[in-house]
Each structure stands twice: as C-alpha cells, then as structure tokens.
Amino acid sequence: MTAPEPTIQQAIFRGARCKCPACGEGQLFRKYLKVADHCPACGEELFHHRADDMPAYIVISIVAHIVVGLLFWAEFTYAPPVWLHWLLWIPLTIILTLGLLPPVKGSIVGLQWALRMHGFGTSRPPLATAAAPTNS
Ligand SMILES: [Zn+2]
C-alpha cells in the first residue's frame, strides 16, 4: 500500500526541511545546494527541478528586510560607530543568507514537485483541476 500523495503545503514544508517532497524521509540535497538526482529513501526523481535563481531572489528579499530594518533601528536608537555597523551587519547577512538558501530552495523544489512542473509527476496522475466556468 502506498501513502497518499502529499498536499502542496506538505510538499513545500518537506522541501523546507530539506527532505524529499514525495516521502519526507530522504535528503533532498546531496551537497549544500545540489539537489540529489533521486530520493535515497523512495527513489523519486528529483533532477527535474528548475529552481534557478528564484531561491536567491527570495533570500535576498528576506535578508534585506531583516538586516536593513535592524540597521536602521540600531542607527536611530543607538547611533553606533560605523565600524560596529560593519561588524554586526556583514556577518549577520552572510549567516542568514547561507542559512536560508537550503530551506528556501527546498521549498521551491517541493512546490515544483507538487505542481508537476518541469517533468515532475510523469509517473503520477495529473492534478485535479477546478471545473472550467460555463456561460450558462
Ligand atoms: Zn523520497
């Protein structure tokens, strides 16, 4: 007996945990940001993903809002010297960026898998679609 197919939200969440969107058990990445060709647990094909630059754009948006917000808050609240700004915000930017890239990329791969994009889902039935509106 096979497990029911995960919902889109489950697939995205599994990807965010860097796990296979199909089973939630196998590791999604074989290296830091290299997606494995197949899930080591269930064998699902994962090489179809085309995350491209989307994870980087999302991470830039998240990190910029956090770091710039904190930077302005610190500047207007404490007015620290410039060297302290450099000491705080550059490491924070690097840590947040490197920490967020894998879960964000995993989420994108999970979304693509759930939506059967780019060759995902050739072995699964098509997504159920809403009935087209009629003019009657
Ligand atoms: Zn799997």
Side-chain angles (χ1 to χ4, degrees):
M1 183 175 153
T2 59
E5 183 168 316
T7 64
I8 293 174
Q9 291 83 3
Q10 286 173 320
I12 292 171
F13 185 69
R14 288 174 177 176
R17 290 177 34 237
C18 301
K19 299 290 184 183
C20 166
C23 68
E25 298 296 324
Q27 289 295 322
L28 182 59
F29 299 106
R30 63 181 160 88
K31 289 184 179 176
Y32 175 60
L33 288 176
K34 276 280 190 209
V35 176
D37 287 342
H38 297 85
C39 171
C42 71
E44 179 73 18
E45 294 177 344
L46 299 171
F47 58 83
H48 298 294
H49 82 90
R50 296 290 178 268
D52 297 332
D53 295 338
M54 189 65 186
Y57 296 142
I58 293 172
V59 168
I60 287 169
S61 297
I62 295 169
V63 172
H65 279 87
I66 294 170
V67 172
V68 172
L70 287 172
L71 186 150
F72 277 115
W73 171 79
E75 177 61 27
F76 291 123
T77 306
Y78 301 107
V82 173
W83 66 264
L84 187 55
H85 277 300
W86 286 93
L87 197 65
L88 288 173
W89 311 127
I90 290 178
L92 180 65
T93 301
I94 293 170
I95 290 168
L96 285 174
T97 300
L98 295 178
L100 284 172
L101 271 171
V104 169
K105 183 170 183 175
S107 300
I108 298 295
V109 173
L111 176 66
Q112 292 178 346
W113 180 88
L115 296 179
R116 294 161 169 75
M117 297 169 70
H118 314 299
F120 280 127
T122 52
S123 61
R124 296 180 286 155
L127 277 177
T129 55
T134 58
N135 291 333
S136 57

